[in-house]
């Protein structure tokens, strides 16, 4: 095409003779550009098919960020195309028939149908996990002679203190101790082996990653079917192993996996990231709902902790999904008590105003506990990543063994954590007296036992949370808080009995029990949960729905409020937020307020790699893509002036070039990214028209725009990249990673890290390594060389498999080649 030919006319382009050397993939701007410009032209089905194909490729690219603006525009085009295709089918003689009405009704109800299916599946899975977990936890201590598949509760149904049908493994307690340890080792080994071999993403809680996914980050396989299966199998094994981990956090993960797997069967959700995120938010609510038997608390948890965008429609979907899940769980009735969770209790006595002083003490404990555990757990995670990543299975097995050895002598640590909380929450009246916990004569020993349980469980949570098994931190923290709270309650009860006539206790009725230690355990659990997660409203509602204790809403609010105040004073963000920071995921928290006082140009990527609107050959563009790792390229008029014309994503560009290669287009063929630049291409040279794939209206900001405002644009609109231009000329680009990198640097200057911490970790590792070498030598000598521990080649393989997801996460998120600071070794 020469200079005398019109290049902006679609008709002229389409009327080229068959022997023309011009290669074109489209004759108009992208569907995105058309939608953004407000055009209402009919949609070209061929063009939309190309856009859908690209969208399908992009949806499954690992560690990239979803472009919400582009997705919204493409969804608008899809709806318009569907209306065009169905107009002739639904309309007869200009009227709408019954088929149109039926289709519209189905399309409107499809979201509720999907949510119903997902909620039902989550409820069934939760019931299965509850039953299996209880049986595996009890099988370590004994078995039922009437039916081996029954746990102790079902075997001794109706009996308060055991029954003859439930037998311990032997009458010799050292043998029971040994079997308890062996079962713990076996369960931990099986769980870690399943995770490592089949689904590495099934390890951990998953809440921090799900927060990033709901915000638009793509992690391929994290919500897949294999992860769902391994999480559902490995979670009961991990809980039954006795590790100080819980199932409530992972229940959010398997619930969201369930929603992702089921929604993929519906085209409406498979091709629309925004609608899929609505479903995932609803699933997160359902996961908390079935874990705690708290549907309203689950919705509030999803609103407060999980979702960065929570419109009214999403709230209704979340409520309905949580309702269906809990209804199915209640119908299956896994505990055969009519209760959704094991530790449901009822309090029939009110509280007194003088107890507020002790409630404040519990609230302070919750805040201090959360800050202490978060700080030291991050250090443990840093040590684990640096030294123990080669041994994920061995680490989990040794942790379970050590936990079993330490916990068996303590009656509150030996049993399952939910069963422990059920005991600690109970009132002393009504015949509930586990190991005479309510006997005043045992008060000193019980207080000492609870103190040991609190301290030891805290230590075990710090070193266990983060090992390569499905593991949560909700219930372990609640169990710690319950032990501390019960201890405080017993002390207050003893204080009242020692000074019954004191004016401080004048509100007590002499004819009634004044202090209820179980309520202090209940409030301690709420304080610890609020302290570790930094959530408030959802904790209050969850605890209320757990107990039904309407009279204790105000004390719960007081305790959680004090915990929140102390937590914010001692640290920023809960354990999920700190794990996002620790792993380097590109996530901007809506709850954070920033005050940097610098313009956007301070942290932007200057002189980004650009493509010119015309004049570059296919070979030159491929060379640019080979040399850079950017996920997109600005389109400029020329490299000197850099007048901004648009932006093209790496996926779209790669798709266009691969299609051109399949059509055997020569590498020397020139490319054009803008219609009015075709006239600059010589008529003797072929050109490849790539204008369809260009976003002609990218989000741009002025260099002097405050960085805080730019970060709000990322939070509210969710673009993967923001271009910085001044008077039409490109000066740089910004990604979420650029903003986070500056934020981390500013925080590092404000709060310098302690020196000499690496030396302590290295010394600890040398001690562990020397001990392991000694044990391996002894095992080899005793077995005559037949038993060898620590195969180096196997460890290398384990390192590759265990670290692969995180290495990808650190290397692939964002648009720029500027990586976030690796914080795993500097905690």
């Amino acid at each position: 095409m020469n200079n005398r030919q019109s290049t902006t006319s679609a008709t002229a382009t389409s009327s080229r003779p068959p022997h023309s050397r011009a290669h074109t993939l489209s004759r108009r701007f992208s569907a995105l550009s058309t939608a953004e410009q407000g055009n209402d032209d009919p949609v070209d089905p061929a063009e939309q098919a190309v856009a859908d194909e690209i969208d399908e490729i992009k949806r499954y690219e690992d560690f990239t960020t979803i472009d919400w603006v582009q997705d919204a525009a493409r969804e608008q085009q899809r709806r318009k195309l569907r209306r065009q295709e169905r107009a002739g089918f639904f309309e007869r003689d200009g009227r709408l028939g019954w088929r149109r009405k039926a289709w519209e009704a189905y399309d409107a109800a499809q979201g509720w149908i999907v949510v119903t299916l997902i909620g039902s599946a989550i409820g069934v899975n939760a019931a299965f996990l509850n039953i299996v977990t209880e049986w595996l936890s009890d099988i370590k201590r004994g078995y039922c002679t009437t039916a081996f598949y029954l746990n102790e509760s079902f075997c001794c149904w109706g009996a308060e203190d055991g029954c003859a049908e439930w037998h311990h493994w032997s009458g010799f307690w050292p043998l029971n101790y040994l079997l308890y340890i062996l079962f713990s080792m076996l369960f931990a080994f099986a769980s870690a082996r399943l995770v490592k071999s089949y689904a590495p993403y099934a390890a951990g809680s998953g809440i921090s990653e799900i927060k990033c996914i709901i915000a638009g980050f793509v992690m391929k396989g994290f919500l897949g079917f294999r992860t769902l299966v391994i999480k559902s199998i490995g979670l009961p094994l991990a809980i039954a192993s006795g590790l100080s981990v819980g199932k409530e956090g992972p229940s959010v993960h398997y619930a969201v996996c369930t929603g992702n797997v089921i929604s993929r069967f519906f085209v409406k959700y498979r091709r629309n990231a925004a609608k899929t995120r609505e479903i995932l938010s609803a699933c997160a609510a359902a996961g908390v709902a079935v874990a705690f038997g708290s549907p309203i608390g689950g919705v509030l948890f999803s609103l407060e902790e999980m979702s960065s965008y929570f419109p009214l429609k999403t709230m209704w979907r979340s409520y309905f999904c949580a309702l269906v899940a809990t209804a199915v769980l209640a119908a299956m009735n896994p505990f055969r008590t009519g209760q959704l969770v094991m530790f449901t209790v009822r309090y029939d006595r009110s509280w007194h105003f003088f107890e507020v002083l002790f409630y404040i003490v519990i609230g302070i404990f919750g805040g201090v506990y959360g800050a202490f555990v978060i700080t030291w757990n991050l250090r443990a995670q840093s040590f684990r990543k640096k030294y123990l990543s080669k041994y994920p299975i061995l680490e989990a097995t040794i942790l379970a063994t050590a936990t079993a050895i330490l916990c068996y002598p303590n009656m509150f640590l030996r049993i399952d954590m939910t069963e422990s909380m059920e005991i600690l929450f109970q009132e002393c009246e009504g015949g509930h007296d586990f190991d005479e916990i309510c006997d005043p004569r045992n008060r000193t020993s019980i207080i000492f036992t609870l103190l040991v349980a609190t301290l030891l469980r805290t230590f075990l949570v710090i070193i266990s949370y983060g090992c390569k098994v499905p593991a949560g931190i909700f219930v372990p923290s609640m169990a710690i808080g319950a032990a501390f709270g019960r201890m405080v309650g017993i002390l207050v009860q003893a204080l009242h009995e020692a000074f019954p006539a004191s004016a401080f206790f004048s509100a007590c009725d002499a004819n009634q029990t004044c202090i209820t230690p179980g309520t202090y355990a209940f409030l301690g659990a709420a304080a610890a949960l609020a302290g570790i997660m930094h959530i408030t409203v959802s904790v209050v509602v969850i605890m209320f729905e757990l107990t039904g204790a309407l009279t204790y809403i105000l004390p719960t609010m007081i305790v959680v409020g004090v915990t929140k105040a102390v937590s914010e004073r001692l640290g920023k963000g809960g354990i999920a937020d700190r794990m996002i920071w620790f792993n380097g995921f590109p996530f901007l928290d809506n709850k954070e307020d920033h005050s940097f006082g610098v313009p956007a140009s301070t942290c932007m990527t200057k002189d980004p790699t650009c493509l010119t609107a015309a004049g570059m050959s296919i070979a030159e563009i491929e060379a640019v893509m080979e040399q850079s790792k950017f996920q997109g390229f600005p389109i400029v008029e020329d490299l000197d002036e850099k007048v901004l014309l648009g932006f093209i994503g790496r996926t779209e560009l790669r798709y266009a070039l691969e299609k051109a290669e399949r059509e055997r287009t020569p590498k020397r063929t020139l490319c054009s990214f803008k219609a009015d630049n075709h006239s600059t291409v010589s008529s003797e040279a072929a050109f490849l028209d790539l204008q369809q794939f260009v976003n002609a209206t990218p989000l741009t900001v002025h260099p002097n725009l405050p960085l805080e405002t730019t970060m709000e644009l990322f939070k509210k609109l969710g673009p993967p990249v923001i271009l910085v231009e001044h008077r039409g000329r490109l000066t740089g680009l910004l990604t979420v990673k650029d903003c986070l990198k500056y934020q981390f640097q500013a925080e590092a200057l404000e709060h310098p890290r302690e020196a000499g911490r690496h030396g302590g970790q290295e010394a600890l590792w040398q001690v562990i390594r020397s001990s392991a070498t000694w044990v391996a030598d002894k095992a080899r000598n005793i077995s005559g060389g037949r038993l060898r521990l620590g195969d180096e080649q196997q460890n290398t393989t384990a390192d590759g498999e265990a670290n692969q997801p995180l290495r990808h996460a650190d290397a692939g998120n964002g648009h720029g080649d500027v990586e976030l600071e690796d914080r795993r070794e500097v905690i």
Side-chain angles (χ1 to χ4, degrees):
M1 183 179 294
N2 55 35
N3 293 337
R4 293 186 299 272
Q5 292 176 300
S6 173
T7 59
T8 58
S9 171
T11 306
T13 306
S14 62
S15 60
R16 292 191 189 96
H19 62 274
S20 172
R21 299 178 60 195
H23 299 269
T24 180
L25 297 179
S26 175
R27 298 184 298 275
R28 52 176 290 183
F29 265 11
S30 65
L32 172 64
S33 302
T34 303
E36 290 177 341
Q37 293 166 4
N39 296 343
D40 197 26
D41 300 333
V43 181
D44 185 357
E47 178 183 311
Q48 187 62 37
V50 172
D52 289 341
E53 188 174 349
I54 295 175
D55 194 46
E56 192 72 17
I57 296 172
K58 289 185 67 176
R59 189 68 67 241
Y60 292 97
E61 280 194 349
D62 214 2
F63 303 110
T64 56
T65 305
I66 291 173
D67 190 336
W68 298 105
V69 179
Q70 192 177 55
D71 268 21
R74 284 179 172 168
E75 179 60 21
Q76 179 183 347
Q77 295 299 105
R78 290 193 194 100
R79 288 197 298 266
K80 188 184 297 184
L81 180 61
R82 285 197 298 267
R83 286 195 297 268
Q84 292 177 193
E85 292 174 345
R86 293 165 185 160
F89 177 76
F90 288 127
E91 296 177 8
R92 293 294 184 271
D93 300 327
R95 294 180 300 175
L96 299 180
W98 65 269
R99 287 181 293 189
R100 173 64 177 268
K101 296 178 181 178
W103 174 260
E104 288 183 345
Y106 168 74
D107 191 59
Q110 190 175 129
W112 299 104
I113 295 172
V114 173
V115 168
T116 302
L117 293 174
I118 293 172
S120 301
I122 292 173
V124 171
N125 198 13
F128 162 77
L129 291 179
N130 285 334
I131 295 171
V132 174
T133 301
E134 292 303 317
W135 182 78
L136 289 176
S137 298
D138 287 349
I139 204 67
K140 296 189 298 182
R141 296 182 287 113
Y143 63 97
C144 186
T145 55
T146 56
F148 188 77
Y149 55 85
L150 294 179
N151 63 9
E152 183 177 8
S153 176
F154 283 104
C155 185
C156 302
W157 189 257
E160 287 287 339
D161 299 318
C163 62
E165 290 79 9
W166 179 262
H167 279 198
H168 293 285
W169 287 108
S170 76
F172 185 54
W173 78 263
L175 180 58
N176 290 333
Y177 192 7
L178 178 61
L179 290 175
Y180 184 89
I181 296 171
L182 291 177
F183 273 115
S184 298
M185 293 175 58
L186 176 63
F187 293 157
F189 174 83
S191 180
R193 169 54 68 183
L194 287 172
V195 168
K196 176 182 178 295
S197 300
Y198 299 103
Y201 278 145
S205 172
I207 288 182
S208 56
E209 289 86 352
I210 292 172
K211 287 184 67 173
C212 298
I213 291 173
I214 292 178
F217 192 53
V218 178
M219 298 180 68
K220 184 179 180 181
F222 192 84
L223 302 179
F225 179 75
R226 177 178 292 187
T227 302
L228 171 61
V229 173
I230 299 303
K231 193 91 174 185
S232 300
I233 298 175
L235 182 57
L237 291 170
I239 302 302
S241 70
L243 286 168
S244 294
V245 296
K247 69 176 186 297
E248 278 64 22
S251 68
V252 176
H253 189 183
Y254 75 68
V256 176
C257 287
T258 303
N260 182 68
V261 171
I262 293 179
S263 65
R264 289 293 173 183
F265 289 101
F266 297 82
V267 179
K268 182 177 182 179
Y269 295 98
R270 186 168 62 246
R271 291 184 175 178
N272 191 318
K275 290 187 177 297
T276 302
R277 264 56 186 180
E278 292 178 7
I279 295 295
L280 300 186
S281 297
C283 294
V288 174
V290 296
F292 291 105
S294 173
I296 304 300
V299 175
L300 291 176
F301 177 83
S302 181
L303 168 63
E304 187 175 2
E305 179 66 13
M306 300 301 297
S307 301
S308 55
Y309 177 64
F310 205 79
L312 183 62
K313 181 173 64 174
T314 302
M315 185 181 71
W316 277 111
R317 294 276 170 83
S318 301
Y319 171 78
F320 187 73
C321 188
L323 174 63
V324 171
T326 51
V328 170
L329 181 62
M332 297 187 68
N333 196 12
F335 301 112
R336 292 297 183 266
T337 59
Q339 301 172 352
L340 296 178
V341 292
M342 177 179 290
F343 45 89
T344 300
V345 293
R346 294 289 184 270
Y347 299 123
D348 54 8
R349 284 194 296 270
S350 184
W351 54 283
H352 307 87
F353 276 100
F354 70 82
E355 293 181 277
V356 171
L357 176 64
F358 305 107
Y359 296 160
I360 293 175
V361 172
I362 293 176
I364 294 174
F365 165 79
V368 173
Y369 162 80
F372 179 80
V373 170
I374 290 173
T375 299
W376 284 96
N377 179 255
L378 288 178
R379 296 183 185 181
Q381 296 280 44
S382 175
F383 181 84
R384 177 177 287 115
K385 292 291 194 302
K386 189 173 183 180
Y387 298 107
L388 302 180
S389 58
K390 296 181 180 179
Y391 321 100
I393 300 176
L394 183 62
E395 180 201 358
T397 306
I398 292 177
L399 277 175
T401 305
T403 301
I405 293 173
L406 294 173
C407 292
Y408 188 84
N410 190 297
M411 60 182 180
F412 295 110
L413 299 179
R414 182 189 315 151
I415 58 179
D416 182 69
M417 283 179 285
T418 53
E419 186 178 353
S420 170
M421 279 192 286
E422 180 189 25
I423 294 167
L424 294 173
F425 284 178
Q426 292 290 350
E427 298 176 336
C428 286
E429 292 74 15
H432 304 290
D433 193 5
F434 177 76
D435 275 2
E436 299 180 346
I437 189 176
C438 295
D439 192 340
R441 294 171 297 181
N442 299 331
R443 189 166 287 162
T444 302
S445 62
I446 291 297
I447 289 176
F448 177 76
T449 303
L450 289 172
L451 178 62
V452 171
T454 301
L455 298 177
L456 187 56
R457 181 81 77 188
T458 301
F459 169 73
L460 293 174
V461 165
I462 289 173
I463 64 174
S464 299
Y465 182 69
C467 65
K468 299 302 180 183
V469 295
I473 201 171
F474 285 16
V475 164
S477 296
M478 293 176 68
I480 292 169
F484 178 83
R486 184 81 184 203
M487 181 177 64
V488 172
I490 294 175
L491 289 173
V492 175
Q493 188 180 48
L495 185 65
H496 170 253
E497 292 179 1
F499 305 98
S502 171
F504 186 76
F505 298 108
S506 60
C508 293
D509 189 346
N511 299 322
Q512 294 182 354
T513 302
C514 183
I515 306 298
T516 306
T519 60
Y520 287 77
F522 157 74
L523 295 174
L529 179 57
I532 198 67
M533 292 300 297
H534 282 220
I535 52 179
T536 53
V537 179
S538 53
V539 171
V540 175
V541 175
I542 286 172
M543 299 306 295
F544 165 64
E545 289 185 286
L546 277 176
T547 63
L550 182 63
T551 55
Y552 279 86
I553 286 185
L554 184 56
T556 307
M557 294 176 67
I558 293 173
V559 168
V560 171
V562 173
T563 299
K564 178 68 172 177
V566 175
S567 300
E568 293 297 329
R569 182 67 181 86
L570 296 179
K572 184 180 69 173
I575 186 68
D577 299 315
R578 301 307 290 169
M579 288 305 299
I580 292 174
W581 174 88
F582 179 77
N583 288 324
F585 296 133
F587 177 77
L588 290 173
D589 194 349
N590 279 331
K591 298 189 292 291
E592 290 187 6
D593 294 325
H594 307 285
S595 180
F596 300 117
V598 297
S601 58
T602 303
C603 64
M604 71 180 183
T605 301
K606 300 178 181 178
D607 299 323
T609 303
C610 303
L611 302 177
T612 57
M616 296 186 69
S617 65
I618 294 178
E620 291 173 336
I621 294 177
E622 289 178 344
V624 170
M625 296 179 66
E626 182 71 23
Q627 295 170 4
S628 67
K629 299 298 181 183
F630 288 95
Q631 297 298 321
F633 304 94
I635 306 297
V636 296
E637 193 73 44
D638 58 73
L639 296 180
D640 294 328
E641 295 295 329
K642 289 191 176 180
V643 175
L644 182 63
L645 300 178
F647 185 85
I648 186 168
R650 189 184 190 93
T651 303
E652 287 89 344
L653 187 56
R654 186 174 64 242
Y655 170 84
L657 296 182
E658 288 176 354
K659 185 172 183 179
E661 184 177 359
R662 290 194 301 268
E663 296 176 354
R664 301 183 181 278
T665 305
K667 296 291 185 181
R668 65 178 181 275
T669 303
L670 300 180
C671 299
S672 174
F673 295 96
K674 196 169 186 293
D676 56 9
N677 278 330
H678 294 172
S679 58
T680 63
V681 182
S682 172
S683 61
E684 297 298 324
F687 71 90
L688 183 66
D689 188 356
L690 302 178
Q691 58 177 308
Q692 176 187 6
F693 307 101
V694 176
N695 179 6
T697 56
L699 186 60
T700 61
V701 298
H702 191 276
N704 292 331
L705 186 72
L707 181 58
E708 298 86 349
T709 306
T710 308
M711 295 176 74
E712 287 298 318
L713 290 176
F714 277 116
K715 294 176 184 178
K716 298 296 190 295
L717 299 180
V721 62
I722 295 178
L723 302 180
V724 183
E725 66 170 353
H726 179 58
R727 296 180 178 178
R729 292 184 174 89
L730 179 70
T731 59
L733 62 79
L734 276 167
T735 66
V736 173
K737 288 175 56 179
D738 294 327
C739 297
L740 287 174
K741 184 180 180 183
Y742 183 86
Q743 177 183 337
F744 296 149
Q745 291 173 346
E747 290 175 352
L749 293 176
E750 184 178 354
H751 305 288
R753 296 181 174 90
E754 301 173 11
R757 199 172 295 162
H758 294 295
Q761 287 194 353
E762 184 65 31
L764 177 61
W765 171 242
Q766 291 301 330
V767 171
I768 295 175
R769 189 171 184 177
S770 300
S771 303
T773 303
W774 182 83
V775 172
D777 291 340
K778 289 295 183 182
R780 185 169 58 252
N781 293 334
I782 293 175
S783 63
R786 289 186 296 272
L787 180 61
R788 299 177 62 87
L789 301 178
D791 183 45
E792 195 67 28
Q793 183 177 0
Q794 182 179 356
N795 291 339
T796 302
T797 304
D799 178 39
E801 294 186 15
N803 283 342
Q804 185 177 6
L806 190 54
R807 281 204 304 267
H808 285 177
D810 287 340
N813 44 26
H815 276 257
D817 54 3
V818 180
E819 296 303 323
L820 293 179
E821 175 189 0
D822 191 347
R823 292 169 296 284
R824 287 170 283 170
E825 298 182 0
V826 294
I827 298 300

